[in-house]
Amino acid sequence: MTTSIGVVMTEHIVAGRLTGPLGQQKLEGDRLRYPLDYAETEALIGVPTSELYDLLASLIAPLIAGSAEPVQAVGVAVPGIVRNGVVEDSPNLAQIKGVRLADTLGEVLKDHGIHTPVHVLNDADAVAAGLAATGGHLDRLIRVWTIGNGIGYGRWPQSDGVWEGGHTIVTLDPKERYCGCGGVGHLEGIMGNRAMRMRFLDLEPEEVFANAKTGDARCREFVDLWHRALAAGTASMIHLGGPGRFYYTGLNVDFLELPMLKRHLESMVKMSPLQSYSLEVLAEDDGMSILGAGVAALRAQSW
Ligand SMILES: [Zn+2]
């Protein structure tokens, strides 16, 4: 029997407790969330890191206190480049750039009398880990695109490297400079929420996709570009890592039209050994990332 805590910090923070035999953990009890209002998507923007630690601890501590079994690990999933417990960069949660998240959160938890080790990982990697755990395929390659404020790319098994798939170059047009990281021609510069708001100063992303459905030419053109960009990012991953299954999830996954994505991808991947890929949409649900964060934290201890 194992017990761990999974935490996800993206536009919001959500945490849950996982129990079960290794490889078959399930969420137990209620998830705790900040902010409580699901419609509030900018609650963490600009919040100082010291307050973020307190917020994280305020969700983790009661879950540990309420556990019947000792908790072996805390896994925290965040957007950006994460290595060895350090958030090296995080364009969509800028204040945590350079933060030694695992060590410092560990110290803050100690002040609450909690000595459980903390493991930090990329949020898209957490979704991939969660998928691997639910399917019982901890040995099979799983790749996930998370489509939200930023564009995340996650893999399971985790392997050394950066894997910032959202910053894949999908266009050489020098005018494409809306990416949160400042880079030109990036996938996130077309698909990310912030990028879409900068492109359509007069429209929210939801309105762009709604207007495209009712025939607005400018919006239709963009929706096509949005899908072509995602197809290009996926095609690059197929040409580098091979075919296999790709999952699509995240805050904005409802914008995704799978037939349109498939059509563009077919035009981009022509070598027959690479055409045995499959694409699957996963409804947005924090449960998968909570599970993945908790499972990855336990696995990190056994490696
Ligand atoms: Zn970028």
Side-chain angles (χ1 to χ4, degrees):
M1 195 68 139
T2 62
T3 304
S4 62
I5 305 291
V7 186
V8 182
M9 178 162 70
T10 51
E11 302 85 19
H12 56 276
I13 306 174
V14 62
R17 186 171 59 237
L18 311 160
T19 59
L22 199 61
Q24 295 172 43
Q25 287 104 340
K26 291 200 167 54
L27 263 166
E28 172 199 72
D30 292 333
R31 302 172 195 181
L32 300 181
R33 193 184 199 279
Y34 176 89
L36 290 172
D37 181 359
Y38 279 64
E40 174 61 82
T41 58
E42 297 188 352
L44 300 183
I45 293 175
V47 174
T49 45
S50 59
E51 283 179 37
L52 287 180
Y53 289 123
D54 291 338
L55 283 170
L56 286 165
S58 74
L59 303 187
I60 294 166
L63 287 171
I64 290 184
S67 176
E69 303 280 335
V71 175
Q72 284 125 309
V74 174
V76 183
V78 297
I81 302 174
V82 180
R83 286 203 280 200
N84 302 320
V86 180
V87 183
E88 296 185 348
D89 205 347
S90 186
N92 295 298
L93 205 56
Q95 66 270 48
I96 61 171
K97 175 175 179 159
V99 159
R100 303 181 62 81
L101 187 53
D103 286 352
T104 313
L105 180 59
E107 291 300 320
V108 172
L109 290 175
K110 274 180 194 151
D111 294 341
H112 290 75
I114 294 165
H115 298 269
T116 314
V118 177
H119 176 72
V120 182
L121 73 162
N122 171 272
D123 62 330
D125 283 337
V127 179
L131 276 166
T134 45
H137 299 306
L138 282 168
D139 51 351
R140 193 200 287 173
L141 176 63
I142 288 181
R143 291 169 287 186
V144 182
W145 290 101
T146 57
I147 304 165
N149 275 345
I151 305 301
Y153 178 73
R155 288 170 45 100
W156 182 272
Q158 283 175 26
S159 67
D160 214 12
V162 178
W163 303 108
E164 277 296 320
H167 304 272
T168 307
I169 312 300
V170 295
T171 168
L172 298 180
D173 184 345
K175 291 194 297 295
E176 288 293 346
R177 49 175 68 249
Y178 296 130
C179 192
C181 80
V184 178
H186 292 193
L187 177 59
E188 185 176 307
I190 291 169
M191 294 186 71
N193 250 347
R194 175 181 177 276
M196 288 195 278
R197 291 201 175 104
M198 287 172 74
R199 185 182 307 262
F200 290 89
L201 291 170
D202 53 336
L203 295 173
E204 282 294 302
E206 292 74 18
E207 296 173 305
V208 173
F209 283 81
N211 292 359
K213 284 211 169 74
T214 55
D216 178 285
R218 172 171 161 247
C219 293
R220 274 176 66 167
E221 202 176 304
F222 174 74
V223 167
D224 190 67
L225 175 69
W226 192 91
H227 284 82
R228 253 190 303 145
L230 185 55
T234 305
S236 292
M237 294 307 176
I238 290 173
H239 286 110
L240 294 173
R245 179 157 292 206
F246 288 85
Y247 293 90
Y248 299 85
T249 188
L251 208 57
N252 285 343
V253 77
D254 290 346
F255 295 155
L256 180 60
E257 292 175 41
L258 212 47
M260 198 187 295
L261 177 67
K262 280 183 176 157
R263 205 168 60 241
H264 286 307
L265 195 52
E266 279 163 16
S267 76
M268 295 173 183
V269 179
K270 289 297 185 188
M271 288 186 254
S272 61
L274 303 184
Q275 288 175 327
S276 59
Y277 54 80
S278 63
L279 316 178
E280 190 172 319
V281 173
L282 279 179
E284 163 70 349
D285 175 18
D286 287 323
M288 195 62 83
S289 347
I290 294 172
L291 177 67
V295 167
L298 284 170
R299 298 270 295 195
Q301 290 185 348
S302 57
W303 281 334

